[in-house]
């Protein structure tokens, strides 16, 4: 095999031969326009083919700039800069790109995460790539077809989940404790201010906890903790909590009377978060002086909770209501109805639905099995 670091005429000719062979199979509109970056490497990890998306990922104008070079050399990996070639450092033994190609040679395919530190023009930059490699045999020549996905943003989100949210929750817990102590010590003229600070801090804690639960649930990592519950008491607590929402100002939350209580077993935390989000949406959609009704009914082996409000939802909102990140408010929101449906469907064994008409307004239904 050709030495990718070589500059001899024979090395260049070998790279061109391999490139022409691969291009004869992959070259074309599909290969060049597919939005996923991919390269084809020799078993020595020399690039012999790269599509346009890969060139863009590597920051080069054309494929010719990277032919015959190894990935670490192309992106200016700090270890490739300090060694004779990419793959020579002890650190390279743990590189996902190297491990992926080795996996192809033994198992035929491999998927690895490549954590890279690059240095270009005196500036350090971290890069996280997912490398999915597959064995490609063309006659006597064997290659590694590598799909490259930049997962740096995923890693930023993981840091947000595990570090920022965790540390924020600890800090807010300390603030809440301090505010509660302060509330018992301050003069009566500051008591209302201390109470408001306590309520807002508690609300922030609940928001941080929601995102922790949401991220864990989306990844399938949340473990429900079912417990016995009573519908009447649950809705009474929900009403009190809803009254603290800023969007509840000048609006009434009413719990409709039921003929009898309903007893059931479910994860209280997930059900409460789901109902909170539906209640908050109803309050935000309502006008000053409107009423939002909470209630439930027992049917067979299910309890049906509802949130009823006066506004009618237009058809274009109804069609997108449970879509992740869809919002009628500002960009970046839109987790309320989606998270409610995801929590209830995936973890509580129930369902979330709605009805909306100009005459009857809008009602959300949350169906929960009794046991």
């Amino acid at each position: 095999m050709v030495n990718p670091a070589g500059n001899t005429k024979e090395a260049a000719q070998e790279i061109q031969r391999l490139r022409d062979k691969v291009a004869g199979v992959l070259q074309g509109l599909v290969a060049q326009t597919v939005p996923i970056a991919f390269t084809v490497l020799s078993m020595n990890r020399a690039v012999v083919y790269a599509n346009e998306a890969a060139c863009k990922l590597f920051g080069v104008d054309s494929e010719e700039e990277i032919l015959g070079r190894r990935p670490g050399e192309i992106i200016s990996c700090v270890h490739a800069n300090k060694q004779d070639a990419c793959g020579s450092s002890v650190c390279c033994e743990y590189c996902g790109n190297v491990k992926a190609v080795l996996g192809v040679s033994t198992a035929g395919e491999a998927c690895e995460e490549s954590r890279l530190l690059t240095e270009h023009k005196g500036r350090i930059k971290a890069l996280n790539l997912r490398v999915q490699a597959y064995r490609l045999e063309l006659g006597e020549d064997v290659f590694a077809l590598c799909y490259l996905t930049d997962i740096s943003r995923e890693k930023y989100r993981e840091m947000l989940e595990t570090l920022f949210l965790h540390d924020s929750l600890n800090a807010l817990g300390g603030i809440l404790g301090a505010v509660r102590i302060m509330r018992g010590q301050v003069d009566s003229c500051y008591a209302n201010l201390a109470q408001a600070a306590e309520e807002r801090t508690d609300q922030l804690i609940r928001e941080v906890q929601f995102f922790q639960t949401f991220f864990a649930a989306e990844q399938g990592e949340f473990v429900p903790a079912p417990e016995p519950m009573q519908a009447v008491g649950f809705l009474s607590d929900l009403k009190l909590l809803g009254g603290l929402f800023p969007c509840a100002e000048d609006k009434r939350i009413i719990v409709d009377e039921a003929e009898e209580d309903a007893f059931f077993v479910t994860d209280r935390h997930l059900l409460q978060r789901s109902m909170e989000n539906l209640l908050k949406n109803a309050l935000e959609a309502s006008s000053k002086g409107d009423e939002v009704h909470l209630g439930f009914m027992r049917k067979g082996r299910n309890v049906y909770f509802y949130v009823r409000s006066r506004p009618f939802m237009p058809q274009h909102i109804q069609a997108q209501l449970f879509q992740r990140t869809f919002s009628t408010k500002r960009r970046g929101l839109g987790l309320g109805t989606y998270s409610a449906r995801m929590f209830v469907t995936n973890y509580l064994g129930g369902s979330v639905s709605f009805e909306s008409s100009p005459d009857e307004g809008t009602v959300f239904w949350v169906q929960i099995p009794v046991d």
Side-chain angles (χ1 to χ4, degrees), residues 185-259:
Q185 303 295 324
V186 297
D187 296 335
S188 58
C189 59
Y190 295 109
N192 290 338
L193 182 61
Q195 181 178 352
E198 181 179 339
E199 291 174 355
R200 294 297 181 267
T201 305
D202 188 59
Q203 183 180 355
L204 278 174
I205 289 176
R206 293 182 59 80
E207 290 300 314
V208 173
Q209 289 174 333
F210 164 73
F211 279 107
Q212 285 185 319
T213 301
F214 176 80
F215 289 141
E218 270 214 317
Q219 297 298 317
E221 298 171 354
F222 184 83
V223 180
E227 61 180 282
M229 293 181 60
Q230 295 175 260
V232 172
F234 171 70
L235 289 182
S236 296
D237 292 342
L238 183 62
K239 175 185 176 180
L240 292 175
L241 181 62
L244 300 176
F245 298 154
C247 55
E249 187 176 357
D250 298 323
K251 299 161 191 174
R252 294 182 62 200
I253 302 174
I254 299 175
V255 177
D256 295 337
E257 292 187 9
E259 294 182 0

Side-chain angles (χ1 to χ4, degrees), residues 156-174 203-217 335:
Y156 280 127
R157 198 189 80 167
E158 286 182 11
M159 287 191 291
L160 173 66
E161 296 173 25
T162 59
L163 296 177
F164 176 74
L165 292 182
H166 179 269
D167 291 348
S168 296
L169 196 59
N170 287 339
L172 288 169
Q203 183 180 355
L204 278 174
I205 289 176
R206 293 182 59 80
E207 290 300 314
V208 173
Q209 289 174 333
F210 164 73
F211 279 107
Q212 285 185 319
T213 301
F214 176 80
F215 289 141
L335 297 180

Side-chain angles (χ1 to χ4, degrees), residues 4 7 12 15-16 19-20 23 27 32 47-52 54-56 58 60-70 74:
N7 295 314
I15 287 294
Q16 189 61 49
R19 195 271 172 195
D20 292 342
Q27 185 75 293
Q32 291 303 320
V47 174
V48 299
Y49 185 87
N51 70 344
E52 291 187 12
C55 292
K56 184 177 180 180
F58 290 139
V60 298
D61 295 327
S62 66
E63 181 190 44
E64 286 72 20
E65 296 181 48
I66 59 178
L67 286 179
R69 301 171 64 191
R70 288 178 171 174
I74 298 170

Side-chain angles (χ1 to χ4, degrees), residues 95-114:
C95 174
N97 188 282
V98 175
K99 292 166 69 176
V101 176
L102 291 176
V104 164
S105 64
T106 57
E109 62 180 72
C111 182
E112 298 284 346
E113 179 184 331
S114 184

